[in-house]
Amino acid sequence: PLHRTPPARRTRLGIMGGTFDPIHHGHLVAASEVAAEFDLDEVVFVPTGRPWQKSGRDVSPQEHRYLMTVIATASNPRFSVSRVDIDRGGQTYTADTLDDIQTLRPDADLFFITGADAMEQIMTWKNVDQLWGKAHFVGVSRPGHELTDFGLSEEVSLMEIPAMAISSTDCRERVAEGKPVWYLVPDGVVQYIGKYGLYIDPNGRIARPN
Ligand code: ATP
Ligand code: MG
């Protein structure tokens, strides 16, 4: 009988893109649930560059968003943070994110994780066809948004996760109104927001990290 070494299992790598202004427990639960369901080895969080979807308001400086994402994910050995979208600069397009991560990790099969609202945006893009083949897409439920895959591709899965009625918009408004965000965002992120006075200055002038 022949003894062959079994082929090495390819790494299963989740990608969680977002503005993360700030990162909250909805993001973290989504990543954790998809990692468990799809047997992912790791999840990389990718803070956006200057996001075109958020043209209605100023987004916090990217170094603040990056550092809050690092703080929130640091305790999980399977979570990490990538700077590819920040370092590329300009508006972030998911196809570029996937190409850059795949270049860095040629050994990995990619799983792009999105909430129901972002899923709808991606699936209704003009250039959605250019995404197929780059990753498997996993859409997760989010309170207030209907979860649908639009029947566009076999490469899309949908998944119910515990309902977390949390949004970054709500967290920012709560800070501005002097309300607590404890337990909506990780403790270290509460402290980071306080340290730099994020979301409280009505003129949007906020301190930058050194
Ligand atoms: P904002 O209110 O500023 O848009 P957000 O809470 O929607 O912030 P994003 O950074 O825009 O957070 O979202 C990044 C990704 O996380 C998106 O795919 C989004 O759908 C998903 N997501 C955000 N919050 C939740 C949640 N509570 N449950 C499930 N998915 C979520
Ligand atoms: Mg959003």
Side-chain angles (χ1 to χ4, degrees):
L2 290 171
H3 293 280
R4 293 200 186 92
T5 36
R9 180 177 172 281
R10 285 171 65 81
T11 301
R12 297 168 69 84
L13 185 65
I15 301 175
M16 180 89 202
T19 313
F20 303 133
D21 191 17
I23 188 166
H24 55 68
H25 283 125
H27 300 128
L28 296 162
V29 165
S32 172
E33 288 291 301
V34 175
E37 180 74 15
F38 286 81
D39 197 22
L40 304 184
D41 299 295
E42 301 168 42
V43 177
V44 182
F45 289 70
V46 191
T48 55
R50 192 176 54 83
W52 52 271
Q53 299 98 330
K54 314 246 165 166
S55 46
R57 70 171 184 92
D58 284 342
V59 170
S60 300
Q62 55 198 21
E63 294 305 328
H64 281 315
R65 296 185 292 105
Y66 171 77
L67 286 171
M68 287 190 284
T69 307
V70 169
I71 289 165
T73 57
S75 60
N76 188 326
R78 290 176 186 259
F79 286 177
S80 63
V81 187
S82 169
R83 295 184 60 93
V84 288
D85 287 347
I86 287 173
D87 290 346
R88 189 183 321 105
Q91 302 170 351
T92 291
Y93 297 96
T94 300
D96 295 335
T97 308
L98 296 173
D99 287 345
D100 285 359
I101 300 276
Q102 190 74 80
T103 300
L104 291 167
R105 301 292 297 272
D107 61 310
D109 290 331
L110 307 185
F111 294 76
F112 193 79
I113 305 164
T114 64
D117 57 315
M119 186 73 163
E120 174 163 354
Q121 280 180 23
I122 289 177
M123 293 302 143
T124 52
W125 274 352
K126 193 166 75 223
N127 299 327
V128 67
D129 287 347
Q130 72 185 30
L131 294 175
W132 310 138
K134 294 184 192 288
H136 188 80
F137 289 79
V138 184
V140 302
S141 55
R142 181 173 188 181
H145 300 276
E146 199 183 337
L147 185 59
T148 169
D149 63 4
F150 298 89
L152 286 178
S153 169
E154 304 269 292
E155 295 184 56
V156 181
S157 302
L158 302 180
M159 186 184 163
E160 286 286 331
I161 64 168
M164 304 288 274
I166 308 175
S167 72
S168 299
T169 300
D170 182 51
C171 292
R172 292 191 301 272
E173 288 174 0
R174 292 179 66 94
V175 173
E177 292 166 6
K179 294 178 183 169
V181 289
W182 289 108
Y183 315 115
L184 298 174
V185 306
D187 293 358
V189 173
V190 178
Q191 291 163 326
Y192 188 97
I193 290 168
K195 175 175 174 178
Y196 290 103
L198 304 188
Y199 314 127
I200 54 173
D201 186 326
N203 298 316
R205 286 189 306 267
I206 55 185
R208 287 165 193 275
N210 297 316

